[in-house]
Amino acid sequence: MAFVITSACQNEKAGECIETCPVDCIVEGEKQMYIDPDVCIDCGACEAVCPVEAIYPEDEVPESEQKYIQLNRDFFKNR
């Protein structure tokens, strides 16, 4: 299970998550940050520092934000 960045990050892109990630699995996209699910080690460091509370463990993403799980995967699949 990886962490997922949701809509609160769109056009925000504060960047604390990138600086905190010990395995460099967070990438800046055009509209928001994304977490590579194949590299994420589930440490939660990014979630703790996100100033807009956009990051969730995959199994805790709110129902209204579920589409971001697939958007995150697609971002890395298409790279």
Side-chain angles (χ1 to χ4, degrees), residues 42-53:
D42 304 323
C43 70
C46 59
E47 180 184 28
V49 299
C50 181
V52 295
E53 299 180 0

Side-chain angles (χ1 to χ4, degrees), residues 10-30:
Q10 284 191 344
N11 301 313
E12 171 64 35
K13 300 194 294 189
E16 286 92 334
C17 56
I18 290 176
E19 296 169 14
T20 303
C21 182
V23 294
D24 297 323
C25 70
I26 303 173
V27 175
E28 183 174 349
E30 188 175 317

Side-chain angles (χ1 to χ4, degrees), residues 1 4 7 14 17-18 27-29 34 36 42-43 51 57-58 64 66-68 70-71 77:
M1 175 190 70
V4 175
S7 66
C17 56
I18 290 176
V27 175
E28 183 174 349
Y34 296 92
D36 187 333
D42 304 323
C43 70
E58 185 174 332
S64 63
Q66 289 287 308
K67 71 178 183 178
Y68 287 90
Q70 190 61 48
L71 288 172
K77 184 168 62 171

